[in-house]
Amino acid sequence: MRTTVSQIAREAGVSPATVDRVLNDRDGVRPRTREIVLQVARKLGYFGPQEAGDNAIKVRLDFILPAGSNSFIRTLRKNLLEESLARDDVAATIHEIEGFDPDRLSAKLGDLRGRTDAVGLVALDHPQVREAINDLAKSGVRIGTLVSDIPTVDKVGYVGVDNRAAGRLAGLLLGRFLPPGQHKVAVFIGSLAYRGHEEREMGFRSILSEEFPEMRIAGTAEVSDDRDRAYQETMRFLDRGDITGIYNIGSGNQGIARALREARMERQMVFIGHDLTDATRLMLLDRTMDAVIDQNPRVEAREIVRLLASSVKGSMEPEYLPRLQVVFKENIPIQ
């Protein structure tokens, strides 16, 4: 069966229209995107059978990510694909789990038994998921956790920032940005099923207790990285009229920003969040957000591919903890 444009688009993380432009050699596509689409098309056999030299045995890598509108995860997916395609010794497949619940995630891990050499995943810290990871590891598949760690599973390493330190950094920024006096702040959480989000909250609470006792958490809202839910919860906090700061641990920044703008509170509220994306970049530029604590998805993609491929080949690479970077309007990196 001939490979379709839709299949290439899905694998490359672009639109079918972009694939069509590339395959028909039309303008309007960036060179790197064009290269990725052509690499994916070759891999899927769009141009016919590959030459014998292309059929060398490669390390089979599978990555499991949550589906949805999370801008950081979309960028991470793109970077994982780019880093994998840039190497001639690996063949990568990316799986997205709708709802990203323990049942579906565990089932996907079970399905990969005997079909892959290594798995990198953004994982929920749940007993069922831990059991599925350990079962897959016992079958000989190398496991690497990405972005959010699960310390107790059988894995070759974790690639991601120190999330507790990230939470402490957010607390420090809020404490220094707000004027002296009593303050109440709202905390937004993607999901406590992510250990990384739980660790950020722990770090945030610890530094408030140690260094900013005059700041109190007015409430927390678990928004499941849903921007509409984040908008509703922000409006609920604003209606109370007693908060002066917001810390968003996960995604949903666009929903918070929308509520602040509608209430004309974007310049009065100190708003700290995570991950420099196209959306948060604009929020920094118009001062809706005051600071973004960034982790570099390109570096994380490169390091998880390196870690897993090396482990399959029999060499042990050290875990890599990307450094945290605070981005303000004045130091937004050039794209």
Side-chain angles (χ1 to χ4, degrees), residues 30-195:
R30 289 184 295 182
R32 182 56 181 157
T33 301
R34 183 180 298 275
E35 179 184 348
I36 291 171
V37 169
L38 290 174
Q39 287 175 326
V40 169
R42 292 190 193 100
K43 186 181 79 169
L44 296 180
Y46 181 84
F47 300 111
Q50 294 181 328
E51 296 178 3
D54 293 331
N55 291 327
I57 296 175
K58 298 184 178 184
V59 175
R60 297 171 298 173
L61 302 182
D62 285 80
F63 296 100
I64 304 177
L65 306 176
S69 60
N70 185 311
S71 299
F72 173 78
I73 294 296
R74 290 205 308 270
T75 302
L76 179 62
R77 181 193 188 282
K78 177 175 177 289
N79 291 154
L80 285 169
L81 184 60
E82 288 181 355
E83 292 297 329
S84 300
L85 289 172
R87 297 179 54 145
D88 59 8
D89 60 339
V90 302
T93 303
I94 296 177
H95 310 271
E96 294 180 309
I97 307 297
E98 290 290 344
F100 213 59
D101 61 69
D103 290 335
R104 291 175 178 169
L105 181 52
S106 300
K108 174 53 69 176
L109 288 165
D111 288 343
L112 291 174
R113 182 189 292 266
R115 299 170 54 191
T116 188
D117 297 310
V119 172
L121 72 164
V122 180
L124 303 173
D125 191 356
H126 185 278
Q128 187 175 340
V129 175
R130 293 196 294 268
E131 188 70 18
I133 289 174
N134 287 333
D135 285 345
L136 190 57
K138 287 176 184 176
S139 73
V141 175
R142 306 298 197 274
I143 305 292
T145 51
L146 182 62
V147 178
S148 182
D149 194 17
I150 305 180
T152 58
V153 298
D154 185 359
K155 65 181 187 295
V156 296
Y158 162 65
V159 174
V161 298
D162 181 336
N163 283 297
R164 188 179 178 94
R168 288 182 63 87
L169 181 55
L172 176 65
L173 290 169
L174 264 177
R176 298 293 290 176
F177 275 24
L178 288 169
Q182 301 291 319
H183 293 280
K184 292 182 180 180
V185 298
V187 177
F188 291 76
I189 302 169
S191 172
L192 289 176
Y194 290 114
R195 188 181 184 91

Side-chain angles (χ1 to χ4, degrees), residues 161 169 276 292-296 323-327 331 333:
V161 298
L169 181 55
L276 188 64
V292 168
I293 301 170
D294 191 40
Q295 55 185 320
N296 191 323
R323 67 172 184 230
L324 292 166
Q325 178 183 10
V326 182
V327 182
N331 71 329

Side-chain angles (χ1 to χ4, degrees), residues 277-295:
T277 64
D278 289 342
T280 56
R281 183 183 291 267
L282 293 175
M283 293 176 214
L284 287 171
L285 289 171
D286 69 10
R287 298 288 191 193
T288 302
M289 290 188 80
D290 294 278
V292 168
I293 301 170
D294 191 40
Q295 55 185 320

